[in-house]
Amino acid sequence: MVSTAAVKRALTALATRTDTATRPYVAVIDEAEAARTDLRRAAAFVDSVGLDRLSEAVTAAERDGNETAAERGRAALAAYREFREAAAGGDR
């Protein structure tokens, strides 16, 4: 099980690194996408990072012209919103 604290530490480290070619928004999108495959990891991502930060990462990707990352982020954001709706008992 991935802890919320571990996710926060990892994302903070990625966001503050200057020795990498990976943009911080890509790190957020990568983690959001990877976390979707595990319910606990997904919950930890939403709790520690949040959908607002994911949305900001998508906007940053679009602004940077990184359509591939932006599309992956939009797909992850849509999935998390569907998870939230399902958890709330909403019908589709």
Side-chain angles (χ1 to χ4, degrees):
M1 179 170 116
V2 177
S3 72
T4 300
V7 172
K8 284 182 182 180
R9 279 192 306 274
L11 288 173
T12 298
L14 286 171
T16 58
R17 282 180 61 180
T18 58
D19 63 337
T20 182
T22 302
R23 301 243 186 233
Y25 68 80
V26 174
V28 171
I29 292 169
D30 286 349
E31 179 58 25
E33 188 175 53
R36 288 171 46 192
T37 62
D38 180 276
L39 183 58
R40 288 186 178 139
R41 188 173 173 186
F45 175 83
V46 171
D47 185 49
S48 65
V49 179
L51 298 185
D52 289 341
R53 179 116 184 253
L54 177 54
S55 182
E56 291 168 6
V58 170
T59 300
E62 292 168 341
R63 188 174 45 249
D64 205 27
N66 189 340
E67 188 54 36
T68 301
E71 181 56 37
R72 290 187 311 111
R74 285 190 292 269
L77 193 55
Y80 282 105
R81 288 180 176 150
E82 288 178 14
F83 295 161
R84 182 177 279 169
E85 185 178 322
D91 293 325
R92 289 197 53 87

